[in-house]
Every structure is written in C-alpha cells, then in structure tokens.
Amino acid sequence: MTVSPPDLAGPAATETADRPADAKLVVDAVTVEYHTRKGTVHAVTDVSLDVPRGSTLALVGESGCGKSSLGRAMLQLPRPSSGRVMVDDTDLCALSGSSLKEARKRIQMVFQDPISSLNPRRRVRDIVAEGLEIQGVDGGREEIRRRVDAALEAVGLDPAHAGDRRPSEFSGGQCQRIALARALVLEPEVLVCDEPVSALDVSVQAQILNLLEEMKERYHLTMVFISHDLSVVHNIADRVAVMYLGMVCEVADTETLYRAPAHPYTMLLISSAPTLGGTLADTLGEDSITATSSELPSPLNPPSGCRFRTRCPRATELCAAERPPLTTITPGHQVACHHPLQENR
Ligand SMILES: Nc1ncnc2c1ncn2[C@@H]1O[C@H](COP(=O)(O)OP(=O)(O)OP(=O)(O)O)[C@@H](O)[C@H]1O
Ligand code: SF4
Ligand SMILES: [Mg+2]
C-alpha cells in the first residue's frame, strides 16, 4: 500500500522539526496491584525496564502475566501502585492535573482488542479526534479536522470514505488502523501497542506489522510491543523482556534471546511456540524443556521465591526460599534465575 508522507503537525507546528526526535522510556521499580474482594492481585511486581530512544521493546508472556497492566501503568491508566515511569527526564508518576495531561501526549497506547476499544456509537473521525479535543489545539475545529485527515491517511485509510463511518463497518485490521491513527494524531514520542495483531487473521497481521514498522521509522517512535506470542515479536523487536506472573524473568536483545535463552521459562515459551519453525527448534535441540505443571499460579497468592518454581523442572530449595534478582549475565542480557541455562553451555 502506498502511503503519502503524512503531515500530522502541519505548517502551524513546525517546531516538531526541532523537537527531540523521540524519548527514552524508563520503567523503574513499577508495581501494579489491584485490590479486589478476593484479595490483592499482584499483577506487576517491581519491574524495571529501559527502552532506548527509537528502539522497540517487546513484552512477552502468557495470558494474565501482567503485560497490559504494565503497559497501562506506563500511561498512568491507572497510575501504578508504586515506581516511576520516565519519558526522558519527566517522571509521569510525579505529575497530576494539567501537567500530566500535557505529558500524556508524549506516550500513547494502541489498546488490546481493536474492535472493542473503539466506541461503536462514534464516527471514526470523532474517535480519532478525541485526544486532540481533550488536549485542545490551536486553530480549533479546522486544525483538528486537518490533523485527523492526515492521521487517517498516514495509516492507509481514506478520510473521505472512512471518516464518517462507524467502527462496525470496518474489518479488524482496519479497526487497528483507526486505533493507530487515534494514537498517532497526538504525535507521541513513545507508542505502546498492546497485542496489536493477536485478534487478526495471519494475512492481515503482516500488513499491520509492516504499518507499525513504517510508522515507527517515519515518526521516530520508541515502541513497546506487547504480545503473548514470541513468534510475532521476532522480526519487530530490538529487545525482548519476558514476563512471568507479574515479574520480568529475562531481558535480552532479540537475537540473543532466541539463540541462547537463559531462563527456563523463556526456553519453555520458545519450545512451545508453534510457528517459530525449524531454526529455533534446531538451536534449542535437546535443551528444550517441559513444564512440570501447566497450571499458572494465582497472582492473588504468587509462589514464594521464584514465581516460576511450581512449574520449573530445575527448581531447588533455594528457588522457594529466595527470589532470584535480575542479574546481568552478558552485556545487555539479564536473567532472574538461580540456575540459568547458560551455566550448562
Ligand atoms: N482491573 C483489574 N482488577 C482486578 N484484577 C485485574 C484487573 N486487570 C487485570 N487484572 C488481573 O491482573 C492480572 C494481569 O492482567 P493483565 O491483563 O495485565 O495480563 P495480560 O498479560 O495483559 O493478559 P492477556 O495476555 O490475557 O491480555 C490478571 O490476573 C488479571 O486477571
Ligand atoms: S530460580 Fe529456580 S525455579 Fe526459578 S526459573 Fe530458575 S531454576 Fe527455575
Ligand atoms: Mg493483556
């Protein structure tokens, strides 16, 4: 699909050319807890991550491990229970009111489930304009319309055709384009994409992944890409963080993570990813592991020590007694495990 170079900011906002191209995102000791009638859900516990400027970090892990909670906490939706989220030098967790509203423009999210995240009663044009309406724009309605049209064009939708329709008239892939336009219209520096292709047919997945890559290059975005599927992030991520039951268990550049996983859970994920194909299966060889239990413990009452220990074939008493800290094993490669797989190689 040919997409003409977008002009989201327009002539009235040429200062975007001087703006720092994008931000570095730092997540520092972030914890997200939900207080429910059944008790406290430990959705995210003490997670620290760094996303270098202009790079893509994938957050990977099975359903319920806290990926969306962490992604939303980055945007302060809601604010995490504790920790800091820095975009450049600005700690979003320390802001409130108008300063938080202003800072929020810099980090936007494409929410999980493209269809239900779009209000079915509103026209596409109004959905995409929502953030601009909230923020307020110099130039009023004319300028909002111009920027909405530019955002729709940027994601490959014809504003004249799509603008006055409602989400139910579009396919899942097109809804994802609308959701992306809604996020991009605010010209963010950081984009968090929550399972952007999981609900889509495989053929459409590739189109949306290509579009994300294109938008990332064009707008110099720093990206967090959330997925439960390691095979999806393989080509899009520079680095991958693997989460298990609310905690990060391994972080590495993509090539290292797939070639030499050090955490037993990462190995399990890779071994069980059906579409990773021969290359990775060959790499893993007899190192592939099988979980001792398929049951994910409850985040209401996570296991002591290492949270993966109830499913880990390598677990020892130490694993129950002490939580393994995230430790650097080679430059840029961190793992939280008392008995990492690399030791055997
Ligand atoms: N608002 C909430 N109130 C209570 N518990 C919640 C809330 N949101 C999420 N949870 C719980 O927190 C845990 C983490 O949920 P989260 O949605 O962040 O996981 P996820 O990794 O995004 O899962 P999925 O892959 O299914 O989207 C789960 O146990 C979930 O049930
Ligand atoms: S710390 Fe122990 S239980 Fe946890 S992953 Fe490592 S070996 Fe397994
Ligand atoms: Mg989720």
Side-chain angles (χ1 to χ4, degrees):
M1 178 175 314
T2 315
V3 177
S4 55
D7 173 24
L8 297 186
T14 43
E15 70 269 22
T16 47
D18 303 317
R19 186 185 80 186
D22 41 27
K24 180 181 180 182
L25 174 70
V26 176
V27 171
D28 181 23
V30 162
T31 290
V32 178
E33 293 173 345
Y34 301 108
H35 301 287
T36 68
R37 272 185 301 163
K38 289 186 180 163
T40 300
V41 178
H42 300 274
V44 178
T45 305
D46 195 21
V47 166
S48 296
L49 292 167
D50 244 331
V51 193
R53 194 178 298 279
S55 71
T56 299
L57 173 81
L59 266 185
V60 177
E62 65 203 289
S63 183
C65 74
K67 305 179 296 296
S68 296
S69 298
L70 179 58
R72 288 196 306 263
M74 291 173 189
L75 277 86
Q76 314 292 296
L77 293 172
R79 199 186 284 281
S81 312
S82 60
R84 297 190 308 163
V85 176
M86 314 282 297
V87 176
D88 285 338
D89 296 330
T90 306
D91 178 7
L92 301 185
C93 302
L95 302 178
S96 58
S98 57
S99 47
L100 177 59
K101 185 170 134 186
E102 183 62 25
R104 267 218 184 102
K105 279 195 278 192
R106 304 178 67 188
I107 177 165
Q108 287 293 308
M109 187 158 181
V110 175
F111 291 93
Q112 190 165 1
D113 191 352
I115 295 170
S116 69
S117 75
L118 303 175
N119 185 335
R121 288 183 296 277
R122 303 202 74 191
R123 295 179 312 159
V124 165
R125 177 177 301 292
D126 299 329
I127 291 171
V128 175
E130 210 168 70
L132 294 173
E133 306 267 8
I134 292 169
Q135 293 286 342
V137 173
D138 290 344
R141 300 224 60 82
E142 270 306 298
E143 177 63 9
I144 289 179
R145 188 173 180 97
R146 201 192 61 71
R147 285 172 66 170
V148 167
D149 284 0
L152 287 170
E153 269 168 27
V155 299
L157 292 171
D158 174 6
H161 174 79
D164 293 324
R165 293 169 196 268
R166 294 179 211 276
S168 58
E169 297 176 61
F170 294 91
S171 66
Q174 286 170 320
C175 284
Q176 199 58 283
R177 288 176 192 270
I178 297 166
L180 188 56
R182 175 173 63 176
L184 289 176
V185 80
L186 286 158
E187 300 165 48
E189 296 154 68
V190 181
L191 184 67
V192 180
C193 297
D194 194 353
E195 303 272 12
V197 298
S198 320
L200 307 177
D201 292 344
V202 174
S203 57
V204 185
Q205 286 190 0
Q207 292 171 17
I208 296 296
L209 289 174
N210 288 341
L211 178 64
L212 283 172
E213 283 284 15
E214 198 184 315
M215 296 297 109
K216 187 189 157 209
E217 291 305 316
R218 196 169 282 179
Y219 300 120
H220 310 286
L221 294 166
T222 299
M223 250 172 55
V224 176
F225 186 101
I226 295 174
S227 177
H228 65 278
D229 186 349
L230 263 178
S231 51
V232 165
V233 308
H234 197 208
N235 293 321
I236 200 161
D238 299 296
R239 288 174 66 70
V240 180
V242 179
M243 283 184 78
Y244 182 80
L245 213 58
M247 301 189 76
V248 168
C249 50
E250 183 161 13
V251 192
D253 67 73
T254 310
E255 192 270 329
T256 304
L257 190 101
Y258 288 78
R259 181 180 44 78
H263 197 284
Y265 179 61
T266 310
M267 180 65 88
L268 178 70
L269 277 185
I270 294 176
S271 312
S272 54
T275 51
L276 283 177
T279 332
L280 287 160
D282 292 348
T283 310
L284 296 173
E286 58 196 27
D287 280 342
S288 299
I289 67 160
T290 311
T292 52
S293 154
S294 58
E295 213 163 294
L296 186 66
S298 168
L300 281 164
N301 184 23
S304 65
C306 173
R307 290 189 178 175
F308 186 53
R309 70 178 169 79
T310 56
R311 295 168 78 190
C312 181
R314 297 166 72 89
T316 62
E317 281 178 18
L318 175 63
C319 306
E322 284 179 30
R323 178 180 291 174
L326 200 59
T327 306
T328 300
I329 51 169
T330 55
H333 188 176
Q334 296 172 296
V335 63
C337 177
H338 292 304
H339 313 294
L341 298 162
Q342 297 294 302
E343 276 176 1
N344 295 346
R345 297 190 177 181

